Amino acid sequence: MTTVAQAVFPAGFKLIKGDNLSGEDDMYTNVKDVFRIHTYWRSYEGDYTWNDENYRKFMSESVGYPMYRTKDSLLWGTGKLDGFYSYTVVDWSGEIFELYSKENDADFATYSKWLISSIREYRKKGKKFMFARRLHMVS
């Protein structure tokens, strides 16, 4: 059974709360590099299963750069959009994680590797890599 586990980010990354009360638009940043999740590509037309060839093509068109499938069926891709370097990983359940930065430097490479390896490491431990979710009670 898989459990959800809040991601532990590298030292120096801080939470920037978004407007969505659930935390879906929260970001984690060290000022230069930013991690965020995407939910707006999860609903789409078509008869796909996560990370199959059709979904890989769909994601490539959506993000604007090529996406590739790893041997263990993660999707990943990297490119430059609107002056920002972007690295995107889609996990096995369709969660979309992005790292972006103005600089394509050693830090960007390190955090890109950290993202995909952390997703895999959480899975090995029977956990699902997730950003923290905020819950608010409405009365």
Side-chain angles (χ1 to χ4, degrees):
M1 178 179 210
T2 302
T3 59
V4 175
Q6 179 179 333
V8 177
F9 288 88
F13 280 83
K14 304 288 184 217
L15 170 65
I16 304 295
K17 292 182 179 180
D19 293 332
N20 189 315
L21 296 178
S22 71
E24 288 186 351
D25 57 353
D26 289 353
M27 297 182 289
Y28 290 83
T29 184
N30 64 358
V31 179
K32 189 171 96 174
D33 304 291
V34 178
F35 288 102
R36 67 179 174 177
I37 59 172
H38 290 286
T39 55
Y40 48 84
W41 288 313
R42 293 204 60 186
S43 297
Y44 57 89
E45 298 295 322
D47 196 12
Y48 310 130
T49 56
W50 293 117
N51 299 354
D52 69 3
E53 185 59 20
N54 288 330
Y55 190 69
R56 186 195 63 76
K57 289 177 185 175
F58 169 80
M59 281 301 302
S60 294
E61 292 170 6
S62 297
V63 296
Y65 48 78
M67 295 291 290
Y68 304 95
R69 189 176 27 257
T70 64
K71 289 180 182 178
D72 59 352
S73 294
L74 289 173
L75 294 182
W76 72 275
T78 190
K80 188 173 183 183
L81 300 169
D82 299 325
F84 287 89
Y85 294 93
S86 172
Y87 177 79
T88 302
V89 177
V90 182
D91 76 3
W92 300 278
S93 64
E95 293 293 335
I96 303 164
F97 302 93
E98 181 187 22
L99 166 68
Y100 68 93
S101 179
K102 281 260 190 204
E103 311 214 13
N104 186 10
D105 57 8
D107 285 348
F108 187 76
T110 297
Y111 298 135
S112 297
K113 291 174 190 169
W114 173 86
L115 179 59
I116 199 165
S117 64
S118 294
I119 291 169
R120 287 178 171 137
E121 190 62 33
Y122 276 69
R123 187 177 198 206
K124 282 181 190 176
K125 293 177 180 178
K127 298 178 180 180
K128 182 171 171 41
F129 180 90
M130 291 294 296
F131 287 15
R133 294 286 197 245
R134 293 184 278 138
L135 300 174
H136 294 273
M137 302 301 290
V138 178
S139 54

